[in-house]
Amino acid sequence: MTLHHVRRGSGSPLLLVHGLGAGSQSWAPILDRLAAEREVIAVDLPGFGQSPPLAGEVSIATLTDAVAGFIDEQGLGAVSTAGQSMGGRIVLELARRGLGGDTVALDPGGFWTDREVAVFSGTLRPSIRLVGALQAALPALVGNPVSRSALLAQFSARPWALSAETVLPDLRGLATAPSTGAAMDALTRGPKQAGAPAGTLPGRATIGWGRRDLVTLPRQAQRAVAAFPDAQLHWFERCGHFPQWDAPAEAARLILDRTS
């Protein structure tokens, strides 16, 4: 499968992998900052954005296989990678397999306890259904700071401060992407993220986490670092699950400084 992708900028390549939502558009809040210094390649995972769904099983392993195939197809070799949420888990899995170069994972999934993943599933699935039911009214709802705050309380530490243009694509994608349901099943019913022993990663690894993340809880960060002992942990203060929303300048700077 050839994944749909966008390329911007020039310089050392940087591959971006999104989480549940709008596909490559999820990176729009920081894409210009990244492309000012690097050649940025933002992919649409299978069944998100403009990429068709996988023909077979949807799992973290098969989604990672698709990205690995894209890297090989595009001749990207030891490309630096950055991912957020599910995409953060995928770039860590690439690094665990020895693929790519430097890695930045923002609020990655897969480091929860059984109870935490049950809460994640039990709260996010109703949110997705609600957003789906509100599709026609979404532009008006996210255009109002009060209703935007109510809709995004699980995702952002400062939803009232966000623009409608920032959040609307991800909200629409969360409800309408063909692979949202299958990817949720993979995250919540599949295996947890395996780690990588010290000295086995292909490049530097950085794990960024929002102090106020209500999706992948901050206490999961220590489990992630325990699983990837070579990784450096960076905390985003006053930040929820989407650093590119709540702290765009800081998120972009972290990605640029920790990849080459």
Side-chain angles (χ1 to χ4, degrees):
M1 172 186 291
T2 298
L3 299 179
H4 178 266
H5 59 283
V6 296
R7 286 181 183 253
R8 294 271 302 278
S10 61
S12 179
L14 171 65
L15 180 67
L16 303 180
V17 184
H18 63 85
L20 295 174
S24 56
Q25 274 190 287
S26 292
W27 297 103
I30 63 173
L31 194 61
D32 286 345
R33 288 182 170 98
L34 297 176
E37 300 185 33
R38 305 285 288 280
E39 180 189 21
V40 178
I41 306 114
V43 297
D44 288 337
L45 290 169
F48 294 90
Q50 297 182 50
S51 290
L54 292 171
E57 177 192 19
V58 176
S59 66
I60 297 302
T62 58
L63 291 172
T64 305
D65 290 343
V67 179
F70 176 83
I71 290 171
D72 183 62
E73 173 193 271
Q74 298 291 318
L76 293 172
V79 65
S80 292
T81 61
Q84 185 264 335
S85 193
M86 182 175 70
R89 180 170 179 182
I90 287 171
V91 299
L92 285 176
E93 176 61 16
L94 286 169
R96 190 189 70 82
R97 297 182 184 185
L99 302 175
D102 296 333
T103 302
V104 177
L106 306 177
D107 299 81
F111 299 101
W112 30 51
T113 64
D114 291 343
R115 178 176 174 79
E116 287 168 352
V117 76
V119 172
F120 165 77
S121 178
T123 56
L124 191 56
R125 289 180 192 274
S127 295
I128 292 171
R129 290 194 293 269
L130 175 62
V131 169
L134 295 173
Q135 282 294 302
L138 272 183
L141 290 171
V142 299
N144 181 286
V146 176
S147 52
R148 182 169 64 246
S149 295
L151 276 174
L152 298 176
Q154 188 176 8
F155 303 112
S156 170
R158 302 168 60 248
W160 59 86
L162 303 175
S163 70
E165 292 75 19
T166 292
V167 302
L168 189 56
D170 272 308
L171 287 177
R172 281 182 165 154
L174 195 64
T176 63
S179 289
T180 292
M184 274 291 295
D185 288 345
L187 285 167
T188 58
R189 298 171 187 167
K192 298 180 177 67
Q193 178 60 45
T200 63
L201 298 181
R204 294 177 294 171
T206 304
I207 296 174
W209 223 287
R211 291 274 190 194
R212 302 186 186 181
D213 190 343
L214 299 180
V215 178
T216 51
L217 302 177
R219 59 176 171 262
Q220 295 168 21
Q222 298 304 327
R223 297 177 205 143
V225 173
F228 289 85
D230 286 336
Q232 175 180 311
L233 179 61
H234 175 88
W235 287 108
F236 291 95
E237 306 294 339
R238 296 191 66 205
C239 185
H241 189 60
F242 286 80
Q244 68 265 42
W245 287 3
D246 289 347
E250 183 181 359
R253 194 68 260 159
L254 179 69
I255 292 170
L256 290 169
D257 287 349
R258 292 295 299 170
T259 60
S260 58

